[in-house]
Amino acid sequence: QVQLVESGGGLVQAGGSLTLSCVTSGRTISGYIMAWFRQAPGKEREFLSVIRWNDGGTYYKDSVKGRFTISRDNAKNTVYLQMNSLKPEDTAVYYCAARVFAGLARAPDEYSYWGQGTQVTVSS
C-alpha cells in the first residue's frame, strides 16, 4: 500500500506563491504516477497536474499551465506542486493522489490512493 500526506497549504495574498508537498510511504513508487487535484466548495474535484515517477513526464490542465509546476524528489519520496501568481479562485482543498503507472490519468476515479488534503486560501 501507499500512504500520502500533503502539507504546505495556508493563507496567501493574491499574486503570491505557495509550494505544496506530498510525502509518500509504504512502498516504492517508482512504478506509479502522482497527481494533484483540488476541490473548491460546491465544485467537483478538479485535476491539476500529473507526473510519472520513473521518467518525470508531466501533464498540466491548460488553465494552470505556466503558473503551476509539478516535480518530484527521489531522495525525499516527495512530489511538489509549486504554485505562482495565485488567484482567489485557486482557493480549495488540494489533494495528492497516486496509482499504478497507466499513463497520465486525469480523472479522480482513475486513482487508487489519496492523501487527506491541504487547504489553500488565496485572499484578495
Side-chain angles (χ1 to χ4, degrees), residues 26-81:
R27 60 179 295 173
T28 180
I29 57 172
S30 61
Y32 284 73
I33 57 172
M34 308 288 296
W36 285 99
F37 293 78
R38 69 185 180 190
Q39 189 164 23
K43 302 289 187 179
E44 295 183 347
R45 193 160 295 188
E46 176 188 23
F47 167 82
L48 298 174
S49 186
V50 59
I51 186 168
R52 287 194 297 262
W53 194 265
N54 59 356
D55 68 358
T58 61
Y59 181 85
Y60 296 88
K61 181 180 179 181
D62 287 344
S63 62
V64 304
K65 188 174 180 65
R67 293 196 300 129
F68 292 8
T69 302
I70 192 169
S71 62
R72 75 206 198 289
D73 187 319
N74 292 342
K76 297 180 179 180
N77 291 321
T78 301
V79 64
Y80 302 95
L81 185 68

Side-chain angles (χ1 to χ4, degrees), residues 11-24:
L11 177 62
V12 182
Q13 291 185 348
S17 299
L18 200 62
T19 299
L20 307 181
S21 299
C22 176
V23 179
T24 69

Side-chain angles (χ1 to χ4, degrees), residues 11-18 67-68 83-90 121-124:
L11 177 62
V12 182
Q13 291 185 348
S17 299
L18 200 62
R67 293 196 300 129
F68 292 8
M83 304 184 293
N84 299 324
S85 301
L86 285 164
K87 308 171 183 178
E89 51 263 44
D90 293 319
T121 303
V122 184
S123 63
S124 301

